[in-house]
Amino acid sequence: MTSPSDHKATIIDGKAIAQTIRSEIASEVRLLSEKYGKVPGLAVVIVGNRKDSQSYVNMKRKSCAELGIQSFDIDLPEDVAEDELISKVHELNANRDVHGMH
């Protein structure tokens, strides 16, 4: 029987792992572009001006740029009408260059 003291902790380098994953994704994006002439597109819809949300979205935009993913940025005011927001989502759904929304 194995006791908890028989197990040793393994220290991982999260930054190195993340960089490896980013490099792999960037490579796959380049291959898609070369093979099909298309790159993945991510639409980010943000409503309002909360600083924490803006920071989060800015990190998404930066990551997209680093990976070669096309970013579609939709910034709407906090008082946007529900029907206008829904219309924008339908517009993005119809856009063949958008492959995901956040």
Side-chain angles (χ1 to χ4, degrees), residues 55-102:
S55 294
Y56 179 75
V57 169
N58 286 337
M59 287 188 322
K60 292 275 184 209
R61 291 172 178 157
K62 182 180 175 191
S63 292
C64 282
E66 289 172 359
L67 299 172
I69 295 173
Q70 188 172 6
S71 178
F72 297 86
D73 306 323
I74 310 301
D75 295 308
L76 299 172
E78 189 170 327
D79 62 350
V80 65
E82 181 179 355
D83 60 335
E84 185 179 344
L85 176 59
I86 291 170
S87 175
K88 184 55 72 175
V89 170
H90 286 299
E91 180 183 318
L92 291 166
N93 275 330
N95 185 335
R96 297 178 59 85
D97 292 327
V98 174
H99 303 99
M101 279 190 257
H102 187 70

